[in-house]
PDB file of all heavy atoms in Angstrom:
ATOM      1  N   ALA A   1     152.847 157.781 -12.350  1.00 45.00           N
ATOM      2  CA  ALA A   1     152.729 156.848 -13.474  1.00 45.00           C
ATOM      3  C   ALA A   1     152.064 155.553 -13.024  1.00 45.00           C
ATOM      4  O   ALA A   1     151.269 154.968 -13.749  1.00 45.00           O
ATOM      5  CB  ALA A   1     154.093 156.565 -14.076  1.00 45.00           C
ATOM      6  N   GLU A   2     152.368 155.094 -11.817  1.00 48.00           N
ATOM      7  CA  GLU A   2     151.748 153.875 -11.302  1.00 48.00           C
ATOM      8  C   GLU A   2     150.263 154.076 -11.064  1.00 48.00           C
ATOM      9  O   GLU A   2     149.475 153.161 -11.254  1.00 48.00           O
ATOM     10  CB  GLU A   2     152.408 153.445  -9.986  1.00 48.00           C
ATOM     11  CG  GLU A   2     153.642 152.638 -10.144  1.00 48.00           C
ATOM     12  CD  GLU A   2     154.115 152.083  -8.820  1.00 48.00           C
ATOM     13  OE1 GLU A   2     153.289 151.590  -8.043  1.00 48.00           O
ATOM     14  OE2 GLU A   2     155.324 152.149  -8.579  1.00 48.00           O
ATOM     15  N   LEU A   3     149.874 155.257 -10.621  1.00 54.00           N
ATOM     16  CA  LEU A   3     148.469 155.503 -10.313  1.00 54.00           C
ATOM     17  C   LEU A   3     147.586 155.325 -11.534  1.00 54.00           C
ATOM     18  O   LEU A   3     146.433 154.927 -11.420  1.00 54.00           O
ATOM     19  CB  LEU A   3     148.286 156.922  -9.766  1.00 54.00           C
ATOM     20  CG  LEU A   3     148.965 157.228  -8.443  1.00 54.00           C
ATOM     21  CD1 LEU A   3     148.710 158.675  -8.060  1.00 54.00           C
ATOM     22  CD2 LEU A   3     148.499 156.297  -7.353  1.00 54.00           C
ATOM     23  N   LEU A   4     148.102 155.608 -12.689  1.00 61.00           N
ATOM     24  CA  LEU A   4     147.324 155.513 -13.912  1.00 61.00           C
ATOM     25  C   LEU A   4     147.504 154.164 -14.599  1.00 61.00           C
ATOM     26  O   LEU A   4     146.906 153.925 -15.638  1.00 61.00           O
ATOM     27  CB  LEU A   4     147.713 156.653 -14.857  1.00 61.00           C
ATOM     28  CG  LEU A   4     147.518 158.045 -14.252  1.00 61.00           C
ATOM     29  CD1 LEU A   4     148.017 159.104 -15.210  1.00 61.00           C
ATOM     30  CD2 LEU A   4     146.079 158.295 -13.879  1.00 61.00           C
ATOM     31  N   ASP A   5     148.296 153.298 -14.032  1.00 65.00           N
ATOM     32  CA  ASP A   5     148.593 151.997 -14.617  1.00 65.00           C
ATOM     33  C   ASP A   5     147.436 151.027 -14.354  1.00 65.00           C
ATOM     34  O   ASP A   5     147.182 150.645 -13.227  1.00 65.00           O
ATOM     35  CB  ASP A   5     149.891 151.453 -14.024  1.00 65.00           C
ATOM     36  CG  ASP A   5     150.346 150.153 -14.656  1.00 65.00           C
ATOM     37  OD1 ASP A   5     149.612 149.595 -15.491  1.00 65.00           O
ATOM     38  OD2 ASP A   5     151.445 149.697 -14.303  1.00 65.00           O
ATOM     39  N   GLU A   6     146.759 150.649 -15.424  1.00 73.00           N
ATOM     40  CA  GLU A   6     145.636 149.718 -15.317  1.00 73.00           C
ATOM     41  C   GLU A   6     146.086 148.324 -14.882  1.00 73.00           C
ATOM     42  O   GLU A   6     145.293 147.545 -14.396  1.00 73.00           O
ATOM     43  CB  GLU A   6     144.897 149.619 -16.660  1.00 73.00           C
ATOM     44  CG  GLU A   6     144.028 150.804 -16.967  1.00 73.00           C
ATOM     45  CD  GLU A   6     142.748 150.866 -16.150  1.00 73.00           C
ATOM     46  OE1 GLU A   6     142.273 149.823 -15.659  1.00 73.00           O
ATOM     47  OE2 GLU A   6     142.235 151.978 -15.993  1.00 73.00           O
ATOM     48  N   ASP A   7     147.383 148.011 -15.085  1.00 79.00           N
ATOM     49  CA  ASP A   7     147.883 146.683 -14.741  1.00 79.00           C
ATOM     50  C   ASP A   7     148.215 146.564 -13.253  1.00 79.00           C
ATOM     51  O   ASP A   7     148.378 145.464 -12.746  1.00 79.00           O
ATOM     52  CB  ASP A   7     149.126 146.351 -15.564  1.00 79.00           C
ATOM     53  CG  ASP A   7     148.811 146.238 -17.043  1.00 79.00           C
ATOM     54  OD1 ASP A   7     147.666 145.854 -17.382  1.00 79.00           O
ATOM     55  OD2 ASP A   7     149.689 146.541 -17.864  1.00 79.00           O
ATOM     56  N   LEU A   8     148.323 147.694 -12.579  1.00 87.00           N
ATOM     57  CA  LEU A   8     148.612 147.694 -11.153  1.00 87.00           C
ATOM     58  C   LEU A   8     147.369 147.228 -10.405  1.00 87.00           C
ATOM     59  O   LEU A   8     146.269 147.715 -10.659  1.00 87.00           O
ATOM     60  CB  LEU A   8     148.997 149.108 -10.704  1.00 87.00           C
ATOM     61  CG  LEU A   8     149.554 149.275  -9.316  1.00 87.00           C
ATOM     62  CD1 LEU A   8     150.889 148.542  -9.191  1.00 87.00           C
ATOM     63  CD2 LEU A   8     149.762 150.744  -9.028  1.00 87.00           C
ATOM     64  N   VAL A   9     147.522 146.261  -9.501  1.00 92.00           N
ATOM     65  CA  VAL A   9     146.377 145.689  -8.792  1.00 92.00           C
ATOM     66  C   VAL A   9     146.593 145.806  -7.286  1.00 92.00           C
ATOM     67  O   VAL A   9     147.671 145.510  -6.777  1.00 92.00           O
ATOM     68  CB  VAL A   9     146.181 144.203  -9.178  1.00 92.00           C
ATOM     69  CG1 VAL A   9     145.022 143.591  -8.408  1.00 92.00           C
ATOM     70  CG2 VAL A   9     145.965 144.065 -10.677  1.00 92.00           C
ATOM     71  N   PHE A  10     145.530 146.248  -6.597  1.00 94.00           N
ATOM     72  CA  PHE A  10     145.552 146.368  -5.138  1.00 94.00           C
ATOM     73  C   PHE A  10     144.439 145.518  -4.538  1.00 94.00           C
ATOM     74  O   PHE A  10     143.334 145.485  -5.071  1.00 94.00           O
ATOM     75  CB  PHE A  10     145.274 147.814  -4.688  1.00 94.00           C
ATOM     76  CG  PHE A  10     146.248 148.828  -5.189  1.00 94.00           C
ATOM     77  CD1 PHE A  10     145.864 149.766  -6.134  1.00 94.00           C
ATOM     78  CD2 PHE A  10     147.538 148.885  -4.696  1.00 94.00           C
ATOM     79  CE1 PHE A  10     146.745 150.728  -6.590  1.00 94.00           C
ATOM     80  CE2 PHE A  10     148.432 149.845  -5.149  1.00 94.00           C
ATOM     81  CZ  PHE A  10     148.032 150.769  -6.092  1.00 94.00           C
ATOM     82  N   SER A  11     144.722 144.898  -3.417  1.00 96.00           N
ATOM     83  CA  SER A  11     143.661 144.284  -2.622  1.00 96.00           C
ATOM     84  C   SER A  11     142.998 145.392  -1.811  1.00 96.00           C
ATOM     85  O   SER A  11     143.465 146.538  -1.805  1.00 96.00           O
ATOM     86  CB  SER A  11     144.254 143.237  -1.673  1.00 96.00           C
ATOM     87  OG  SER A  11     145.026 143.887  -0.665  1.00 96.00           O
ATOM     88  N   LEU A  12     141.934 145.063  -1.117  1.00 97.00           N
ATOM     89  CA  LEU A  12     141.249 146.037  -0.256  1.00 97.00           C
ATOM     90  C   LEU A  12     142.214 146.615   0.769  1.00 97.00           C
ATOM     91  O   LEU A  12     142.284 147.830   0.960  1.00 97.00           O
ATOM     92  CB  LEU A  12     140.048 145.369   0.421  1.00 97.00           C
ATOM     93  CG  LEU A  12     139.273 146.199   1.437  1.00 97.00           C
ATOM     94  CD1 LEU A  12     138.699 147.455   0.793  1.00 97.00           C
ATOM     95  CD2 LEU A  12     138.163 145.356   2.054  1.00 97.00           C
ATOM     96  N   ASN A  13     142.980 145.751   1.420  1.00 96.00           N
ATOM     97  CA  ASN A  13     143.924 146.226   2.441  1.00 96.00           C
ATOM     98  C   ASN A  13     145.040 147.062   1.834  1.00 96.00           C
ATOM     99  O   ASN A  13     145.476 148.049   2.430  1.00 96.00           O
ATOM    100  CB  ASN A  13     144.498 145.048   3.226  1.00 96.00           C
ATOM    101  CG  ASN A  13     143.476 144.426   4.149  1.00 96.00           C
ATOM    102  OD1 ASN A  13     142.622 145.115   4.698  1.00 96.00           O
ATOM    103  ND2 ASN A  13     143.541 143.117   4.311  1.00 96.00           N
ATOM    104  N   ASP A  14     145.526 146.659   0.653  1.00 95.00           N
ATOM    105  CA  ASP A  14     146.566 147.443  -0.026  1.00 95.00           C
ATOM    106  C   ASP A  14     146.067 148.852  -0.343  1.00 95.00           C
ATOM    107  O   ASP A  14     146.771 149.831  -0.126  1.00 95.00           O
ATOM    108  CB  ASP A  14     146.993 146.787  -1.342  1.00 95.00           C
ATOM    109  CG  ASP A  14     147.732 145.477  -1.158  1.00 95.00           C
ATOM    110  OD1 ASP A  14     148.277 145.251  -0.057  1.00 95.00           O
ATOM    111  OD2 ASP A  14     147.760 144.683  -2.123  1.00 95.00           O
ATOM    112  N   LEU A  15     144.840 148.924  -0.882  1.00 95.00           N
ATOM    113  CA  LEU A  15     144.279 150.221  -1.241  1.00 95.00           C
ATOM    114  C   LEU A  15     144.093 151.091   0.003  1.00 95.00           C
ATOM    115  O   LEU A  15     144.399 152.280  -0.015  1.00 95.00           O
ATOM    116  CB  LEU A  15     142.949 150.058  -1.984  1.00 95.00           C
ATOM    117  CG  LEU A  15     142.394 151.330  -2.603  1.00 95.00           C
ATOM    118  CD1 LEU A  15     143.281 151.805  -3.752  1.00 95.00           C
ATOM    119  CD2 LEU A  15     140.969 151.116  -3.089  1.00 95.00           C
ATOM    120  N   ALA A  16     143.627 150.483   1.072  1.00 96.00           N
ATOM    121  CA  ALA A  16     143.445 151.230   2.321  1.00 96.00           C
ATOM    122  C   ALA A  16     144.784 151.771   2.820  1.00 96.00           C
ATOM    123  O   ALA A  16     144.875 152.933   3.231  1.00 96.00           O
ATOM    124  CB  ALA A  16     142.802 150.335   3.379  1.00 96.00           C
ATOM    125  N   GLN A  17     145.812 150.941   2.751  1.00 94.00           N
ATOM    126  CA  GLN A  17     147.137 151.388   3.203  1.00 94.00           C
ATOM    127  C   GLN A  17     147.661 152.500   2.305  1.00 94.00           C
ATOM    128  O   GLN A  17     148.137 153.522   2.791  1.00 94.00           O
ATOM    129  CB  GLN A  17     148.108 150.214   3.212  1.00 94.00           C
ATOM    130  CG  GLN A  17     149.479 150.607   3.710  1.00 94.00           C
ATOM    131  CD  GLN A  17     150.454 149.446   3.703  1.00 94.00           C
ATOM    132  OE1 GLN A  17     150.210 148.412   3.109  1.00 94.00           O
ATOM    133  NE2 GLN A  17     151.576 149.637   4.369  1.00 94.00           N
ATOM    134  N   ARG A  18     147.569 152.334   0.987  1.00 92.00           N
ATOM    135  CA  ARG A  18     148.078 153.352   0.053  1.00 92.00           C
ATOM    136  C   ARG A  18     147.291 154.656   0.146  1.00 92.00           C
ATOM    137  O   ARG A  18     147.826 155.723  -0.093  1.00 92.00           O
ATOM    138  CB  ARG A  18     148.029 152.846  -1.381  1.00 92.00           C
ATOM    139  CG  ARG A  18     148.897 151.659  -1.659  1.00 92.00           C
ATOM    140  CD  ARG A  18     150.303 152.099  -2.011  1.00 92.00           C
ATOM    141  NE  ARG A  18     151.114 150.941  -2.294  1.00 92.00           N
ATOM    142  CZ  ARG A  18     151.911 150.828  -3.321  1.00 92.00           C
ATOM    143  NH1 ARG A  18     151.996 151.820  -4.186  1.00 92.00           N
ATOM    144  NH2 ARG A  18     152.624 149.760  -3.498  1.00 92.00           N
ATOM    145  N   GLY A  19     145.995 154.541   0.486  1.00 91.00           N
ATOM    146  CA  GLY A  19     145.164 155.730   0.609  1.00 91.00           C
ATOM    147  C   GLY A  19     145.152 156.313   2.006  1.00 91.00           C
ATOM    148  O   GLY A  19     144.549 157.357   2.251  1.00 91.00           O
ATOM    149  N   ALA A  20     145.812 155.623   2.941  1.00 93.00           N
ATOM    150  CA  ALA A  20     145.873 156.046   4.341  1.00 93.00           C
ATOM    151  C   ALA A  20     144.482 156.222   4.939  1.00 93.00           C
ATOM    152  O   ALA A  20     144.197 157.204   5.623  1.00 93.00           O
ATOM    153  CB  ALA A  20     146.705 157.323   4.484  1.00 93.00           C
ATOM    154  N   VAL A  21     143.600 155.259   4.648  1.00 95.00           N
ATOM    155  CA  VAL A  21     142.241 155.255   5.204  1.00 95.00           C
ATOM    156  C   VAL A  21     141.935 153.875   5.771  1.00 95.00           C
ATOM    157  O   VAL A  21     142.625 152.900   5.469  1.00 95.00           O
ATOM    158  CB  VAL A  21     141.172 155.622   4.138  1.00 95.00           C
ATOM    159  CG1 VAL A  21     141.388 157.021   3.600  1.00 95.00           C
ATOM    160  CG2 VAL A  21     141.133 154.612   3.020  1.00 95.00           C
ATOM    161  N   HIS A  22     140.895 153.809   6.566  1.00 96.00           N
ATOM    162  CA  HIS A  22     140.442 152.528   7.085  1.00 96.00           C
ATOM    163  C   HIS A  22     139.681 151.773   6.008  1.00 96.00           C
ATOM    164  O   HIS A  22     139.057 152.369   5.123  1.00 96.00           O
ATOM    165  CB  HIS A  22     139.537 152.728   8.303  1.00 96.00           C
ATOM    166  CG  HIS A  22     140.270 153.280   9.485  1.00 96.00           C
ATOM    167  ND1 HIS A  22     141.066 152.516  10.284  1.00 96.00           N
ATOM    168  CD2 HIS A  22     140.330 154.542   9.978  1.00 96.00           C
ATOM    169  CE1 HIS A  22     141.591 153.265  11.233  1.00 96.00           C
ATOM    170  NE2 HIS A  22     141.168 154.512  11.075  1.00 96.00           N
ATOM    171  N   VAL A  23     139.716 150.473   6.089  1.00 97.00           N
ATOM    172  CA  VAL A  23     139.029 149.600   5.137  1.00 97.00           C
ATOM    173  C   VAL A  23     137.546 149.958   5.048  1.00 97.00           C
ATOM    174  O   VAL A  23     136.951 149.926   3.963  1.00 97.00           O
ATOM    175  CB  VAL A  23     139.225 148.121   5.554  1.00 97.00           C
ATOM    176  CG1 VAL A  23     138.322 147.196   4.779  1.00 97.00           C
ATOM    177  CG2 VAL A  23     140.686 147.714   5.384  1.00 97.00           C
ATOM    178  N   GLU A  24     136.950 150.336   6.169  1.00 97.00           N
ATOM    179  CA  GLU A  24     135.522 150.674   6.193  1.00 97.00           C
ATOM    180  C   GLU A  24     135.192 151.837   5.265  1.00 97.00           C
ATOM    181  O   GLU A  24     134.127 151.882   4.670  1.00 97.00           O
ATOM    182  CB  GLU A  24     135.059 151.003   7.619  1.00 97.00           C
ATOM    183  CG  GLU A  24     135.094 149.830   8.579  1.00 97.00           C
ATOM    184  CD  GLU A  24     136.492 149.512   9.125  1.00 97.00           C
ATOM    185  OE1 GLU A  24     137.399 150.388   9.048  1.00 97.00           O
ATOM    186  OE2 GLU A  24     136.689 148.385   9.602  1.00 97.00           O
ATOM    187  N   VAL A  25     136.112 152.786   5.139  1.00 96.00           N
ATOM    188  CA  VAL A  25     135.906 153.933   4.243  1.00 96.00           C
ATOM    189  C   VAL A  25     135.801 153.443   2.804  1.00 96.00           C
ATOM    190  O   VAL A  25     134.915 153.862   2.053  1.00 96.00           O
ATOM    191  CB  VAL A  25     137.051 154.962   4.391  1.00 96.00           C
ATOM    192  CG1 VAL A  25     136.964 156.043   3.327  1.00 96.00           C
ATOM    193  CG2 VAL A  25     137.045 155.567   5.789  1.00 96.00           C
ATOM    194  N   ILE A  26     136.674 152.539   2.429  1.00 97.00           N
ATOM    195  CA  ILE A  26     136.652 152.011   1.062  1.00 97.00           C
ATOM    196  C   ILE A  26     135.377 151.220   0.822  1.00 97.00           C
ATOM    197  O   ILE A  26     134.745 151.345  -0.236  1.00 97.00           O
ATOM    198  CB  ILE A  26     137.903 151.163   0.789  1.00 97.00           C
ATOM    199  CG1 ILE A  26     139.133 152.073   0.857  1.00 97.00           C
ATOM    200  CG2 ILE A  26     137.805 150.464  -0.564  1.00 97.00           C
ATOM    201  CD1 ILE A  26     140.442 151.363   0.772  1.00 97.00           C
ATOM    202  N   ILE A  27     134.968 150.426   1.795  1.00 97.00           N
ATOM    203  CA  ILE A  27     133.724 149.653   1.665  1.00 97.00           C
ATOM    204  C   ILE A  27     132.545 150.593   1.441  1.00 97.00           C
ATOM    205  O   ILE A  27     131.701 150.347   0.575  1.00 97.00           O
ATOM    206  CB  ILE A  27     133.520 148.743   2.891  1.00 97.00           C
ATOM    207  CG1 ILE A  27     134.577 147.640   2.899  1.00 97.00           C
ATOM    208  CG2 ILE A  27     132.102 148.153   2.905  1.00 97.00           C
ATOM    209  CD1 ILE A  27     134.608 146.803   4.162  1.00 97.00           C
ATOM    210  N   GLU A  28     132.492 151.693   2.186  1.00 96.00           N
ATOM    211  CA  GLU A  28     131.412 152.672   2.006  1.00 96.00           C
ATOM    212  C   GLU A  28     131.461 153.307   0.618  1.00 96.00           C
ATOM    213  O   GLU A  28     130.420 153.515  -0.006  1.00 96.00           O
ATOM    214  CB  GLU A  28     131.494 153.755   3.085  1.00 96.00           C
ATOM    215  CG  GLU A  28     131.129 153.271   4.463  1.00 96.00           C
ATOM    216  CD  GLU A  28     131.327 154.324   5.542  1.00 96.00           C
ATOM    217  OE1 GLU A  28     131.915 155.387   5.261  1.00 96.00           O
ATOM    218  OE2 GLU A  28     130.898 154.069   6.682  1.00 96.00           O
ATOM    219  N   LEU A  29     132.656 153.593   0.124  1.00 97.00           N
ATOM    220  CA  LEU A  29     132.794 154.180  -1.213  1.00 97.00           C
ATOM    221  C   LEU A  29     132.370 153.194  -2.293  1.00 97.00           C
ATOM    222  O   LEU A  29     131.786 153.580  -3.306  1.00 97.00           O
ATOM    223  CB  LEU A  29     134.224 154.663  -1.446  1.00 97.00           C
ATOM    224  CG  LEU A  29     134.646 155.882  -0.624  1.00 97.00           C
ATOM    225  CD1 LEU A  29     136.144 156.135  -0.748  1.00 97.00           C
ATOM    226  CD2 LEU A  29     133.857 157.123  -1.032  1.00 97.00           C
ATOM    227  N   VAL A  30     132.626 151.911  -2.082  1.00 97.00           N
ATOM    228  CA  VAL A  30     132.171 150.884  -3.020  1.00 97.00           C
ATOM    229  C   VAL A  30     130.649 150.801  -2.990  1.00 97.00           C
ATOM    230  O   VAL A  30     129.991 150.762  -4.038  1.00 97.00           O
ATOM    231  CB  VAL A  30     132.809 149.514  -2.703  1.00 97.00           C
ATOM    232  CG1 VAL A  30     132.137 148.400  -3.507  1.00 97.00           C
ATOM    233  CG2 VAL A  30     134.313 149.544  -2.982  1.00 97.00           C
ATOM    234  N   GLU A  31     130.078 150.805  -1.797  1.00 95.00           N
ATOM    235  CA  GLU A  31     128.617 150.736  -1.658  1.00 95.00           C
ATOM    236  C   GLU A  31     127.939 151.932  -2.313  1.00 95.00           C
ATOM    237  O   GLU A  31     126.838 151.814  -2.848  1.00 95.00           O
ATOM    238  CB  GLU A  31     128.228 150.650  -0.186  1.00 95.00           C
ATOM    239  CG  GLU A  31     128.579 149.321   0.448  1.00 95.00           C
ATOM    240  CD  GLU A  31     128.385 149.289   1.959  1.00 95.00           C
ATOM    241  OE1 GLU A  31     128.109 150.356   2.572  1.00 95.00           O
ATOM    242  OE2 GLU A  31     128.517 148.192   2.532  1.00 95.00           O
ATOM    243  N   GLU A  32     128.600 153.075  -2.325  1.00 95.00           N
ATOM    244  CA  GLU A  32     128.043 154.294  -2.916  1.00 95.00           C
ATOM    245  C   GLU A  32     128.320 154.372  -4.421  1.00 95.00           C
ATOM    246  O   GLU A  32     127.785 155.238  -5.104  1.00 95.00           O
ATOM    247  CB  GLU A  32     128.614 155.528  -2.206  1.00 95.00           C
ATOM    248  CG  GLU A  32     127.843 156.788  -2.397  1.00 95.00           C
ATOM    249  CD  GLU A  32     126.407 156.741  -1.912  1.00 95.00           C
ATOM    250  OE1 GLU A  32     126.157 156.250  -0.791  1.00 95.00           O
ATOM    251  OE2 GLU A  32     125.526 157.197  -2.659  1.00 95.00           O
ATOM    252  N   GLY A  33     129.159 153.470  -4.931  1.00 94.00           N
ATOM    253  CA  GLY A  33     129.442 153.450  -6.355  1.00 94.00           C
ATOM    254  C   GLY A  33     130.608 154.320  -6.777  1.00 94.00           C
ATOM    255  O   GLY A  33     130.867 154.474  -7.968  1.00 94.00           O
ATOM    256  N   VAL A  34     131.317 154.869  -5.818  1.00 95.00           N
ATOM    257  CA  VAL A  34     132.477 155.712  -6.133  1.00 95.00           C
ATOM    258  C   VAL A  34     133.630 154.843  -6.639  1.00 95.00           C
ATOM    259  O   VAL A  34     134.326 155.195  -7.579  1.00 95.00           O
ATOM    260  CB  VAL A  34     132.920 156.538  -4.903  1.00 95.00           C
ATOM    261  CG1 VAL A  34     134.214 157.281  -5.172  1.00 95.00           C
ATOM    262  CG2 VAL A  34     131.813 157.502  -4.489  1.00 95.00           C
ATOM    263  N   LEU A  35     133.816 153.698  -6.010  1.00 96.00           N
ATOM    264  CA  LEU A  35     134.831 152.730  -6.420  1.00 96.00           C
ATOM    265  C   LEU A  35     134.123 151.470  -6.885  1.00 96.00           C
ATOM    266  O   LEU A  35     133.129 151.060  -6.275  1.00 96.00           O
ATOM    267  CB  LEU A  35     135.781 152.407  -5.264  1.00 96.00           C
ATOM    268  CG  LEU A  35     136.611 153.557  -4.720  1.00 96.00           C
ATOM    269  CD1 LEU A  35     137.355 153.132  -3.463  1.00 96.00           C
ATOM    270  CD2 LEU A  35     137.576 154.060  -5.764  1.00 96.00           C
ATOM    271  N   GLU A  36     134.629 150.850  -7.943  1.00 95.00           N
ATOM    272  CA  GLU A  36     134.011 149.645  -8.504  1.00 95.00           C
ATOM    273  C   GLU A  36     135.073 148.569  -8.675  1.00 95.00           C
ATOM    274  O   GLU A  36     135.651 148.416  -9.749  1.00 95.00           O
ATOM    275  CB  GLU A  36     133.337 149.972  -9.826  1.00 95.00           C
ATOM    276  CG  GLU A  36     132.201 150.958  -9.673  1.00 95.00           C
ATOM    277  CD  GLU A  36     131.567 151.345 -11.005  1.00 95.00           C
ATOM    278  OE1 GLU A  36     132.022 150.873 -12.067  1.00 95.00           O
ATOM    279  OE2 GLU A  36     130.617 152.132 -10.969  1.00 95.00           O
ATOM    280  N   PRO A  37     135.318 147.808  -7.608  1.00 97.00           N
ATOM    281  CA  PRO A  37     136.354 146.772  -7.685  1.00 97.00           C
ATOM    282  C   PRO A  37     135.889 145.564  -8.493  1.00 97.00           C
ATOM    283  O   PRO A  37     134.692 145.362  -8.704  1.00 97.00           O
ATOM    284  CB  PRO A  37     136.545 146.390  -6.215  1.00 97.00           C
ATOM    285  CG  PRO A  37     135.212 146.619  -5.602  1.00 97.00           C
ATOM    286  CD  PRO A  37     134.662 147.841  -6.303  1.00 97.00           C
ATOM    287  N   GLU A  38     136.854 144.780  -8.917  1.00 96.00           N
ATOM    288  CA  GLU A  38     136.554 143.479  -9.495  1.00 96.00           C
ATOM    289  C   GLU A  38     136.431 142.507  -8.328  1.00 96.00           C
ATOM    290  O   GLU A  38     137.118 142.645  -7.335  1.00 96.00           O
ATOM    291  CB  GLU A  38     137.684 143.050 -10.424  1.00 96.00           C
ATOM    292  CG  GLU A  38     137.871 143.964 -11.611  1.00 96.00           C
ATOM    293  CD  GLU A  38     139.124 143.639 -12.400  1.00 96.00           C
ATOM    294  OE1 GLU A  38     139.760 142.598 -12.155  1.00 96.00           O
ATOM    295  OE2 GLU A  38     139.476 144.450 -13.263  1.00 96.00           O
ATOM    296  N   GLY A  39     135.558 141.515  -8.445  1.00 95.00           N
ATOM    297  CA  GLY A  39     135.360 140.542  -7.374  1.00 95.00           C
ATOM    298  C   GLY A  39     134.047 140.776  -6.665  1.00 95.00           C
ATOM    299  O   GLY A  39     133.527 141.891  -6.650  1.00 95.00           O
TER     300      GLY A  39
END
């Protein structure tokens, strides 16, 4: 239920921790357009 909650907000580090990946992986996914963060 939390995963689909639009009000739930993660920082880059939070998302990396919850996804069990390194921050660099998320940065690459943002650069590729897979993830579109605010900011």
Side-chain angles (χ1 to χ4, degrees):
E2 276 188 44
L3 296 179
L4 302 176
D5 185 354
E6 284 286 336
D7 295 330
L8 190 64
V9 178
F10 300 110
S11 69
L12 176 60
N13 288 326
D14 292 339
L15 190 68
Q17 182 181 14
R18 297 274 181 134
V21 298
H22 293 282
V23 169
E24 294 79 18
V25 171
I26 295 173
I27 292 171
E28 290 175 351
L29 291 170
V30 169
E31 289 172 352
E32 198 60 46
V34 173
L35 297 172
E36 297 177 358
E38 297 171 10

